[in-house]
Amino acid sequence: MGEIAFGLPQWIALILLSLIRQSSGDFPSGVCSSLPMLRALRLADNDISNGFPEDLFNCSFLGELNFSHSGLTGAVPDLSQLQSLHMIDLSNNFFTGEFPISIINLTNLEVVNFNENPGFDLWRLPDTITQLKKLEVLILSTTSMRGEIPPWIGNMTSLIDLELSGNSLVGQIPATIGKLENLQFLELYYNHLSGEIPDELGNLTRLVDLDMSENYLTGRIPEKLCALSGLGVLQLYSNRLTGGVPRELGNSTVLSILSLYGNFLTGELPPDLGRHSKLIVLDVSDNQLSSQLPRDACAGGELLYLLVLDNHFTGELPETYAQCNSLLRFRVSNNKLNGSIPEGIFGLPHAWIIDLGFNRFGGTIAKTIGNAKNLSALFLTHNLLSGALPPEISWATNLVKIDLSHNLLSGPIPSEIASLYKLNQLSLQENKLDSSIPASLSLLKSLNVLNLSNNYLTGEIPDSLCNLLPNSLDFSNNRLSGPVPLPLIKEGLIESVYGNSELCVPFHLNMVKPSLPLCPKPGIRKGLNNVWVIGVCLMFSILAVLLALKRWFGEKNVVIEQDGLPSSPSFVYDVTSFHKLSFDQHEIVEALMENNIVGHGGSGTVYRIALSSGEQVAVKKLWSRATKNPSPNQLYLDKELKTEVETLGSIRHKNIVKLYCCFSSMDYKLLVYEYMPNGNLMDALHNEGSFLDWPTRHRIASGIAQGLAYLHHDLLFPIVHRDIKTSNILLDEDFEPKVADFGIAKVLQARGDRESSASVIIGTYGYLAPEYAYSTKATTKCDVYSFGVVLMELVTGKKPNEPEFGENQDIIHWVSSKMGTKEGAMDAIDKKLSWSPFKEDMIQILRIALRCTCRSPALRPSMNEVVQLLNEVDPSKFDVTGSFKFKHLAGIKG
Ligand SMILES: *[C@@H]1O[C@H](CO)[C@@H](O)[C@H](O)[C@H]1NC(C)=O
Ligand SMILES: *[C@@H]1O[C@H](CO)[C@@H](O)[C@H](O)[C@H]1NC(C)=O
Ligand SMILES: *[C@@H]1O[C@H](CO)[C@@H](O)[C@H](O)[C@H]1NC(C)=O
Ligand SMILES: *[C@@H]1O[C@H](CO)[C@@H](O)[C@H](O)[C@H]1NC(C)=O
Ligand SMILES: *[C@@H]1O[C@H](CO)[C@@H](O)[C@H](O)[C@H]1NC(C)=O
Ligand SMILES: *[C@@H]1O[C@H](CO)[C@@H](O)[C@H](O)[C@H]1NC(C)=O
Ligand SMILES: *[C@@H]1O[C@H](CO)[C@@H](O)[C@H](O)[C@H]1NC(C)=O
Ligand SMILES: *[C@@H]1O[C@H](CO)[C@@H](O)[C@H](O)[C@H]1NC(C)=O
Ligand SMILES: *[C@@H]1O[C@H](CO)[C@@H](O)[C@H](O)[C@H]1NC(C)=O
C-alpha cells in the first residue's frame, strides 16, 4: 500500500490510509470531495484498478500527483484545472490515447515524468511547452513521441533533466540545447537522430550524464564536450561517429562510464584515461582504434568492465591490468596485441569473462588461473600461447566455456579438468597437445562441445567418452590408435575420428571415405555377443553413416517422400535417423496402443513406449496425407512435420530435445524422441502438488536460455522457435530442460527473411511478442520475448494470463507494476518460495524478464546476453554493479 501525504494534520492522513486499505487497491470514492485541501497524492507502486479518483478536480490545491508504476490504463484525464500542480509523475503505466498536452497550461509545473508509457498515440512536442517556465525535469522517454527535437527547446532554461529516449525522434540535435545552462542530464538514446553532435553542447557546463547512444549520429565527438569538468557518464555507442576519442577525457576527474562501442572511431585512446578519475566502465569495442591500451584505466581501482574488442590495438597488455582486482569482464579479443599475458590477468579474482582471443599473445597460461574463482568463460583462441595447460585450471570451478584452440600448447590435457562440473565447452583443437585423452573427461556431465582435433594426441579413444554423446565431439587429425568406439559409428560421427591413421573399425564400412581399416579381431566386443543384435546394429549403423554422409554432402531431402509407392503395405517405412537407433520400427509400431498414449497434441497422438532394451522413447504419431485432395489442415501438418524433422534432425544440444528418427508410411508418420520422465514445465510449475525449488528453477531458466542461444547464435542459419512456452519445455530425469516442439520453427536463411503466409496462426496467446500484431516477420527477438514470459512464470509461479491480473492485463503488466518497490517485487515471488534465501536473485531474474519483454524488440537483449545475465545472478556480483542506472547495464557490449 502506498502513502498518501498532504499538508493536513496527521490524523486525517491515518483515516485516509485505513480507508484505502479496506478498499483493497481502489480509491475510496470522494477522496477529493472529503479532503479538498489535499496537497499530494502519492500512490506510486500500487495497482489502482479504478483509475484516477472520479472527483480529482475537487482537489484544487493538489501539488503532487505521483501514480508511477500503478498499472493505469486508458486515457489521461485533462488535468489543466489542477492549477497548483508542480509535480506530475505518471511514469510506467499503460496509458493509451492522446498525450495529455493540456498539462502545458499548468504553469507551476517543475517535474513532469511520463517515462515508459509506450501506448500513447504518436505525438509531437508542441512549442507551447515553453510556457512552463519553472520546469526542471522533463522525462518523456518511451512515450511514442515523433518528429524533430524543436530548436526552441533551448528556451526552457530552467531544465535540469531532459530525457526523450526511446522515441521516434528524427533530424538533428538542435544546437540551441547548448543554451540550457542548468542542464545536468541529457538522455536522447534509442531514437533516429542524425547529423553531427553540436559543438554547443560543450556550453552545458553543469552536464553530468549524456547519453545519445543508438542513433545515426555522424561526425566527431566534440572536444569541448569532453572537456566539461562535471561529465561523469558519456555514452554514444551504436552511432556512426568518426574521428578520435578526445584527449580531454584523460584529464577528467569524474568520468566513470565511457561507452562508445559500435562507431567508426580511429586513433588512440587518451593515454591518461582513468588516471585522474575512477572509471567503472570502459567500453570502446567495435571501432577502429589503434596504438596502446591506456595503462591507467584501472588506476581508480573500481573498473568493472574493460571492453575493447574488435579494434586495432597493438603492443602489450599493461602490467597494471594484472592488479585490477575489481574487473568482472575483461575482453580485448580481435586486436593486434602481443607479448606475454601478465600472470595476474589469469587470476583476476572476480572476473567472469577473460577474453583475449584473436591477438598475437605469446608466453604461457599461468598457474594463477587457479585463483579465478568466479571465471565462467576463458577465451584465448587464435594466439601464440605455448607450454602446457596448467592443472590448476581445475580450481577455477565456475568455468563453463574454455576455448584455447589455435595456439601452440603442448603436453597433456590435465585429467583434473574433469572436476570442472559446469564445463559446457572445451575447445583445444589446433594445438600441439601430445598425451592420451584422459578418460575422466566422461565425467563432464554438462559438456556440449569437445573439440580435440588437430593435435598430436595418442592412445585409444576412451569408450567412456561416448557417455557424452550426442554432443559434438571431434577427435580428428591426431595420432590416436585402436578401435573406434561403436557408439561413435552408430551416431554417424565417424568423421569425428578421421585423420588418425592407426584407428580401426570393428566391421567393414564401405561408405566411409577415406576408409578405416578393420581391427585385427573383427566383430565381437564385450557385452555384444548376440549375432542377431550385431546384424541389426550393423544395418542401422551403415544406414546412419549413409545418411550422415548424405547430409554431410549437403543433400537437403531428409524426409523420404511416399508418393511413388501407392500400393506399398502400410508397414513399409522409410527411416530417417539422426541419433543412435537401438530399436527397430516394428517394435515401435506394435507398441502404438491405447494404454501407451500419454497425450494428444494439436497435430497428433503422443505415446510412451518402453523398448525391450529397457530404454523409453516418446513417439508422436502424425497422420499422413492419405487422400488425393488433402485439406489445408493436412497440408499444414505436413509442413509442420517437415519443419520439425528438418530443424531438429540437424541439431545437437543438451537443452534441445533429441529426435532419434522419423518413420513415414502411407498412413502415418512417426517421430521418435527421447522420453522425458518429468513431463513439461507447465505441469511442473502449475500442477497442484508439484514443487520446484529455486536452484532447480534457475537451472531450468539457464538451460532453456542456452538452448535458445544455440539456436539463435551458434548455427549457420539461425533458427527461431516461435512457440516458446512452458508446455513446450520438457524436463528430463534430472530436471534439465529441453526445448521441444519445433513444428512452426523458422530457419532464417538470410537477414530480413520474411514469413510470406500470414494465415498460419503462430505462437501462443500470452507468449506472443507485441510486434506480431502488425508484422509476421520472424525474428530471434520474438523468442526472447516468449522466454521472458517463461522467466516470469518461473519466478512468480503464475500463468501468463490469470484473472487476478485484471481484464486485458497479463503477467508482464502485472510484474512491471510490482517491480517499482522492493515490497511489490517481493510480493510477486511465488508464495511456494517464500522461505527461500534466494529472493534477491529472483528479483534480479524478474528484471531480466522485464528486459526480455520490452515492447520494442531492439531493447530486448539477445539470447547470448540473456545467458550471461542469468549467469551473473550471483547477488555478490550484483551488489557491485547495482549502483548503475538500469539502462547503463543495457549499454554494455560483450
Ligand atoms: C514517485 O514515487 C516513486 C515511488 O515512491 C518515487 O520513486 C518517485 O521518485 C516519485 N516521483 C517523484 C517525481 O518524486
Ligand atoms: C466537488 O465537490 C462538490 C461539493 O463538495 C460537489 O458538489 C461536486 O460534485 C464535486 N465535484 C466532483 C467532480 O466530484
Ligand atoms: C490552455 O488554456 C487556454 C486558456 O485557458 C485554453 O484556451 C487552451 O485550450 C488550453 N490548452 C490546452 C492544451 O488545454
Ligand atoms: C524562444 O526564444 C526566442 C528568443 O528569446 C524567441 O524569439 C522565440 O519566440 C522563443 N520561442 C518559443 C517557442 O518560445
Ligand atoms: C556556445 O558554444 C558555441 C560553439 O562552441 C559558441 O560559438 C558560443 O559562443 C557559445 N555560446 C555561449 C552562450 O556561450
Ligand atoms: C590536461 O590538463 C593539463 C593540466 O591542467 C593541461 O595542461 C592540458 O592541456 C590538458 N589537456 C587537455 C587535452 O585538455
Ligand atoms: C609487439 O608488436 C610491436 C609492434 O606493434 C613490436 O614493436 C614489438 O616488438 C612486439 N613485441 C613482441 C614481444 O613481439
Ligand atoms: C565472486 O566474486 C564475489 C565478489 O564479486 C566474491 O565475493 C565471491 O567470493 C566470488 N566467488 C568466488 C567463488 O570466489
Ligand atoms: C573442431 O575444430 C575444427 C578446427 O577449428 C573445426 O574445423 C571443426 O569443425 C570443429 N569440430 C566440430 C565438431 O565442431
Side-chain angles (χ1 to χ4, degrees):
M1 183 53 57
E3 145 205 20
I4 290 201
F6 44 92
L8 286 176
Q10 197 64 27
W11 61 271
I12 302 186
L14 289 175
I15 290 171
L16 195 57
L17 264 178
S18 55
L19 268 174
I20 287 176
R21 277 224 176 81
Q22 277 161 18
S23 62
S24 69
D26 287 2
F27 263 112
S29 55
V31 182
C32 290
S33 312
S34 26
L35 292 166
M37 305 295 282
L38 209 59
R39 296 295 156 86
L41 269 176
R42 291 190 200 134
L43 278 173
D45 310 319
N46 277 282
D47 271 314
I48 314 171
S49 42
N50 61 349
F52 291 87
E54 76 290 349
D55 61 346
L56 185 64
F57 303 115
N58 268 359
C59 284
S60 18
F61 295 95
L62 202 63
E64 280 184 49
L65 185 62
N66 188 346
F67 288 178
S68 88
H69 283 283
S70 297
L72 293 170
T73 55
V76 180
D78 182 339
L79 300 170
S80 56
Q81 292 180 36
L82 298 173
Q83 282 294 328
S84 306
L85 276 179
H86 55 86
M87 188 272 255
I88 299 178
D89 186 347
L90 297 179
S91 59
N92 296 84
N93 285 297
F94 307 102
F95 293 120
T96 48
E98 285 183 23
F99 185 85
I101 276 309
S102 57
I103 60 163
I104 62 184
N105 270 358
L106 300 171
T107 46
N108 287 314
L109 278 176
E110 291 163 10
V111 175
V112 170
N113 187 352
F114 279 87
N115 184 36
E116 290 285 339
N117 276 289
F120 286 125
D121 301 340
L122 286 175
W123 66 291
R124 289 168 189 268
L125 202 60
D127 59 1
T128 38
I129 201 161
T130 52
Q131 298 175 116
L132 301 178
K133 296 282 184 236
K134 298 182 185 167
L135 198 62
E136 295 181 349
V137 176
L138 180 60
I139 304 180
L140 300 172
S141 303
T142 320
T143 52
S144 303
M145 191 193 292
R146 64 178 178 138
E148 303 197 351
I149 302 177
W152 40 255
I153 198 115
N155 289 15
M156 304 180 71
T157 47
S158 52
L159 281 176
I160 293 173
D161 184 354
L162 175 61
E163 306 192 18
L164 306 176
S165 308
N167 286 304
S168 308
L169 297 173
V170 295
Q172 306 206 354
I173 295 168
T176 50
I177 287 188
K179 294 201 275 174
L180 300 175
E181 60 199 22
N182 292 304
L183 203 64
Q184 296 179 15
F185 302 91
L186 179 57
E187 314 287 323
L188 302 175
Y189 56 93
Y190 281 116
N191 277 296
H192 310 294
L193 298 167
S194 54
E196 302 199 357
I197 301 175
D199 269 342
E200 282 78 0
L201 295 193
N203 292 350
L204 297 170
T205 49
R206 307 219 169 134
L207 200 63
V208 169
D209 183 328
L210 175 65
D211 191 342
M212 307 198 290
S213 308
E214 301 276 357
N215 280 294
Y216 304 113
L217 299 173
T218 52
R220 306 171 63 88
I221 303 175
E223 277 141 25
K224 207 170 141 192
L225 175 65
C226 294
L228 291 173
S229 62
L231 193 65
V233 175
L234 178 60
Q235 306 209 94
L236 300 171
Y237 61 84
S238 294
N239 275 293
R240 295 169 182 174
L241 298 168
T242 51
V245 178
R247 285 179 160 252
E248 283 75 2
L249 290 173
N251 267 7
S252 172
T253 56
V254 294
L255 188 67
S256 62
I257 296 181
L258 179 63
S259 187
L260 305 175
Y261 70 79
N263 281 292
F264 304 108
L265 300 170
T266 51
E268 65 177 335
L269 279 178
D272 291 348
L273 201 60
R275 184 172 299 170
H276 308 292
S277 75
K278 293 185 174 178
L279 278 182
I280 297 173
V281 173
L282 173 59
D283 188 351
V284 296
S285 305
D286 206 359
N287 278 293
Q288 293 151 22
L289 297 165
S290 54
S291 193
Q292 312 251 328
L293 292 174
R295 64 181 303 278
D296 296 322
C298 193
E302 292 184 5
L303 193 62
L304 302 180
Y305 299 112
L306 177 62
L307 307 168
V308 303
L309 38 161
D310 298 321
N311 278 290
H312 308 309
F313 288 110
T314 54
E316 304 195 6
L317 279 185
E319 187 68 40
T320 48
Y321 290 8
Q323 281 89 50
C324 193
N325 282 346
S326 51
L327 275 178
L328 299 180
R329 298 190 208 187
F330 181 60
R331 306 194 66 179
V332 302
S333 56
N334 262 310
N335 280 290
K336 298 171 181 164
L337 299 165
N338 66 3
S340 56
I341 302 167
E343 284 192 4
I345 297 278
F346 290 105
L348 288 171
H350 304 308
W352 62 279
I353 290 192
I354 293 181
D355 178 8
L356 310 176
F358 297 93
N359 278 293
R360 295 165 187 172
F361 290 117
T364 58
I365 300 176
K367 280 192 238 173
T368 47
I369 185 78
N371 300 334
K373 296 293 186 220
N374 275 352
L375 193 60
S376 148
L378 177 64
F379 298 132
L380 301 174
T381 181
H382 285 87
N383 278 294
L384 305 167
L385 297 168
S386 56
L389 181 55
E392 286 80 359
I393 196 169
S394 62
W395 301 348
T397 48
N398 276 309
L399 273 169
V400 175
K401 295 192 182 213
I402 299 180
D403 187 354
L404 311 180
S405 60
H406 295 265
N407 276 292
L408 305 169
L409 299 171
S410 54
I413 300 171
S415 63
E416 293 87 342
I417 263 189
S419 61
L420 295 173
Y421 66 103
K422 293 185 180 173
L423 201 62
N424 179 263
Q425 176 190 345
L426 181 59
S427 298
L428 301 176
Q429 72 267 24
E430 311 272 353
N431 274 292
K432 297 179 170 182
L433 300 169
D434 53 14
S435 65
S436 55
I437 302 174
S440 62
L441 294 185
S442 65
L443 300 172
L444 293 168
K445 287 282 178 280
S446 304
L447 203 64
N448 189 38
V449 174
L450 175 64
N451 197 338
L452 305 179
S453 66
N454 296 291
N455 278 290
Y456 304 134
L457 297 170
T458 54
E460 294 196 5
I461 301 175
D463 272 353
S464 62
L465 287 191
C466 296
N467 292 347
L468 301 173
L469 290 170
N471 297 311
S472 165
L473 306 178
D474 196 339
F475 308 107
S476 58
N477 299 315
N478 276 292
R479 294 168 182 174
L480 298 166
S481 55
V484 177
L486 207 52
L488 278 183
I489 305 175
K490 285 210 282 179
E491 293 234 6
L493 288 180
I494 191 80
E495 70 266 34
S496 73
V497 301
Y498 281 171
N500 288 283
S501 55
E502 285 169 58
L503 281 179
C504 60
V505 286
F507 46 75
H508 207 68
L509 295 168
N510 260 340
M511 295 313 299
V512 177
K513 208 172 68 172
S515 63
L516 291 177
L518 278 179
C519 295
K521 274 188 205 163
I524 299 159
R525 285 156 60 85
K526 245 188 271 167
L528 268 185
N529 43 16
N530 181 325
V531 175
W532 187 82
V533 171
I534 295 176
V536 171
C537 282
L538 202 74
M539 266 180 56
F540 279 113
S541 306
I542 291 171
L543 193 61
V545 169
L546 249 166
L547 283 159
L549 285 173
K550 198 169 153 195
R551 278 197 292 145
W552 202 33
F553 288 117
E555 283 191 39
K556 266 268 160 194
N557 57 333
V558 190
V559 181
I560 301 160
E561 291 297 337
Q562 281 297 291
D563 303 306
L565 298 169
S567 60
S568 324
S570 63
F571 56 82
V572 172
Y573 289 91
D574 284 322
V575 183
T576 309
S577 87
F578 308 103
H579 290 280
K580 74 179 159 194
L581 291 178
S582 56
F583 47 85
D584 75 60
Q585 72 267 37
H586 295 291
E587 195 178 355
I588 301 268
V589 173
E590 277 155 24
L592 294 179
M593 293 178 303
E594 193 94 354
N595 55 355
N596 283 333
I597 294 180
V598 289
H600 295 276
S603 49
T605 308
V606 184
Y607 300 79
R608 171 178 62 193
I609 296 178
L611 299 167
S612 52
S613 62
E615 232 176 305
Q616 301 204 73
V617 292
V619 178
K620 190 156 146 194
K621 182 167 88 176
L622 303 165
W623 295 103
S624 288
R625 183 176 3 149
T627 56
K628 283 258 177 287
N629 299 309
S631 70
N633 196 32
Q634 279 170 317
L635 278 179
Y636 174 59
L637 285 187
D638 275 3
K639 186 166 177 267
E640 188 172 331
L641 170 80
K642 208 159 172 266
T643 315
E644 173 120 17
V645 170
E646 281 179 1
T647 44
L648 263 187
S650 60
I651 291 171
R652 288 166 195 279
H653 190 277
K654 74 178 167 65
N655 295 114
I656 292 172
V657 75
K658 247 187 279 176
L659 175 62
Y660 288 130
C661 64
C662 163
F663 303 141
S664 79
S665 80
M666 277 299 286
D667 295 337
Y668 45 70
K669 294 177 176 172
L670 302 178
L671 299 177
V672 184
Y673 304 90
E674 60 180 323
Y675 177 68
M676 293 284 145
N678 281 313
N680 70 45
L681 179 59
M682 182 171 80
D683 295 341
L685 270 179
H686 304 305
N687 274 4
E688 225 161 282
S690 71
F691 172 69
L692 299 174
D693 64 13
W694 177 250
T696 307
R697 293 189 202 201
H698 182 265
R699 198 152 47 86
I700 290 172
S702 115
I704 305 168
Q706 286 175 38
L708 286 176
Y710 172 81
L711 293 174
H712 292 178
H713 306 295
D714 293 353
L715 300 170
L716 183 58
F717 297 116
I719 293 174
V720 185
H721 183 283
R722 301 206 295 175
D723 200 11
I724 292 298
K725 54 180 171 181
T726 46
S727 58
N728 281 343
I729 307 296
L730 305 180
L731 300 170
D732 76 1
E733 61 278 6
D734 302 322
F735 286 91
E736 183 72 28
K738 308 216 180 198
V739 179
D741 210 328
F742 282 67
I744 60 168
K746 178 113 181 99
V747 181
L748 302 183
Q749 301 273 351
R751 283 187 97 186
D753 189 12
R754 270 170 195 277
E755 175 74 5
S756 50
S757 141
S759 61
V760 178
I761 302 153
I762 43 177
T764 303
Y765 177 66
Y767 296 90
L768 269 185
E771 62 267 28
Y772 267 137
Y774 52 82
S775 147
T776 53
K777 195 174 142 194
T779 71
T780 52
K781 291 295 176 77
C782 303
D783 282 353
V784 175
Y785 183 94
S786 312
F787 176 75
V789 176
V790 171
L791 273 187
M792 290 181 181
E793 283 185 76
L794 277 166
V795 178
T796 64
K798 303 214 185 287
K799 293 183 187 157
N801 298 289
E802 300 243 14
E804 72 168 286
F805 301 152
E807 209 173 322
N808 298 323
Q809 299 281 339
D810 56 23
I811 195 167
I812 298 160
H813 295 159
W814 184 77
V815 167
S816 56
S817 67
K818 290 272 180 191
M819 290 296 287
T821 56
K822 182 122 185 191
E823 302 84 67
M826 285 289 177
D827 190 50
I829 291 173
D830 192 349
K831 298 287 173 284
K832 291 180 186 167
L833 297 172
S834 51
W835 49 269
S836 170
F838 300 104
K839 287 210 192 128
E840 294 290 336
D841 287 13
M842 298 177 203
I843 291 173
Q844 194 54 43
I845 299 270
L846 282 182
R847 293 205 182 99
I848 298 171
L850 281 178
R851 283 190 58 196
C852 292
T853 52
C854 279
R855 278 187 74 84
S856 155
L859 296 180
R860 294 173 209 152
S862 72
M863 231 39 235
N864 266 345
E865 278 178 75
V866 172
V867 170
Q868 294 187 350
L869 289 169
L870 292 176
N871 244 334
E872 246 180 310
V873 179
D874 170 347
S876 50
K877 280 179 193 165
F878 258 85
D879 284 343
V880 193
T881 55
S883 59
F884 295 151
K885 278 195 266 173
F886 191 53
K887 55 120 182 161
H888 287 142
L889 276 178
I892 286 161
K893 174 185 168 141

